[in-house]
Amino acid sequence: GDSVTQMEGPVTLSEEAFLTINCTYTATGYPSLFWYVQYPGEGLQLLLKATKADDKGSNKGFEATYRKETTSFHLEKGSVQVSDSAVYFCALSDPDYKLSFGAGTTVTVRA
Amino acid sequence: DAGVIQSPRHEVTEMGQEVTLRCKPISGHDYLFWYRQTMMRGLELLIYFNNNVPIDDSGMPEDRFSAKMPNASFSTLKIQPSEPRDSAVYFCASGTSGFHEQYFGPGTRLTVT
């Protein structure tokens, strides 16, 4: 079945550092891909999405490109802030609208 | 828009008691999902509805769990009787046909003692 694998954390960075979180997927069709972010004590928030190959999703300085040839959707941000400390989840959607989530990557940004 | 609304935000109950979690999806959304999140198992899809009809309940852990959606603006997840291993954060999410993203509520943190 469909699945998502993302890099394990935790990841600790200094402010203004470059962030990359790797995500690869396995799917039989052409899923939509997502990154969600979860701040402490809150629900998951949609960060960005891409619905077809070569689409680039972007939001709040974060970017991810749907790479069909490598079945990847890596999340990047050029200069992180303390407020970016959170858990990040990669996810894909199957044709029945169910989401498959990665295990989550905890990111801590130090001032 | 108010987003997905869940209540209560926190629930502490004793083993054997009935627990009811509530969810109001975003107006106009026709999909509703119930998830459970724990450190050990991560995010698990329990059940989801389309147009108030349960589509897939294969994630419901056992018969103690049940879910209903009597109308487009309200859903409940019930655990009867509750057990300590049910302690988790339960999320409700909603979405709309044609768009695969889901919008999550703030969650209900359930503690069963």
Side-chain angles (χ1 to χ4, degrees):
Chain A
D2 295 352
S3 65
V4 173
T5 302
Q6 63 181 100
M7 64 184 283
E8 295 185 12
V11 175
T12 303
L13 303 165
S14 297
E15 234 176 358
E16 300 183 4
F18 185 87
L19 171 67
T20 298
I21 304 176
N22 290 338
C23 171
T24 57
Y25 67 89
T26 302
T28 53
Y30 301 94
S32 293
L33 301 175
F34 307 91
W35 278 100
Y36 282 83
V37 59
Q38 185 177 28
Y39 299 102
E42 298 185 11
L44 279 70
Q45 298 177 23
L46 178 64
L47 181 59
L48 53 83
K49 70 175 184 179
T51 58
K52 61 183 186 296
D54 300 324
D55 265 2
K56 177 185 284 188
S58 61
N59 186 25
K60 300 180 181 180
F62 290 89
E63 293 183 340
T65 301
Y66 192 142
R67 301 288 189 197
K68 184 172 179 295
E69 63 276 12
T70 55
T71 61
S72 65
F73 193 55
H74 305 321
L75 182 69
E76 298 181 336
K77 186 174 185 182
S79 178
V80 293
Q81 305 300 312
V82 172
S83 57
D84 294 324
S85 298
V87 182
Y88 293 83
F89 293 91
C90 185
L92 66 80
S93 176
D94 72 12
D96 295 328
Y97 293 85
K98 292 190 292 185
L99 290 179
S100 296
F101 287 92
T105 302
T106 299
V107 174
T108 301
V109 180
R110 294 178 175 171
Chain B
D1 199 321
V4 176
I5 299 172
Q6 291 188 246
S7 64
R9 292 295 310 275
H10 302 274
E11 177 79 40
V12 181
T13 191
E14 293 184 347
M15 182 174 63
Q17 296 298 305
E18 177 179 294
V19 174
T20 299
L21 311 181
R22 297 172 175 80
C23 175
K24 176 179 170 55
I26 292 172
S27 178
H29 282 190
D30 55 349
Y31 280 88
L32 185 138
F33 305 81
W34 281 102
Y35 292 88
R36 178 171 67 178
Q37 185 179 41
T38 62
M39 290 294 292
M40 291 296 292
R41 295 186 297 272
L43 269 167
E44 303 173 278
L45 176 64
L46 301 177
I47 185 172
Y48 78 102
F49 297 81
N50 178 224
N51 291 321
N52 313 335
V53 177
I55 303 300
D56 185 349
D57 66 354
S58 60
M60 297 285 262
E62 47 197 278
D63 292 345
R64 297 184 297 106
F65 286 69
S66 62
K68 294 181 180 179
M69 192 165 186
N71 57 62
S73 59
F74 184 65
S75 177
T76 59
L77 178 67
K78 185 178 293 185
I79 308 173
Q80 166 64 17
S82 58
E83 297 183 2
R85 60 192 168 123
D86 302 329
S87 297
V89 181
Y90 291 81
F91 290 105
C92 175
S94 69
T96 190
S97 297
F99 299 90
H100 287 250
E101 59 265 36
Q102 297 175 19
Y103 295 88
F104 283 73
T108 296
R109 181 173 295 277
L110 173 65
T111 303
V112 183
T113 60

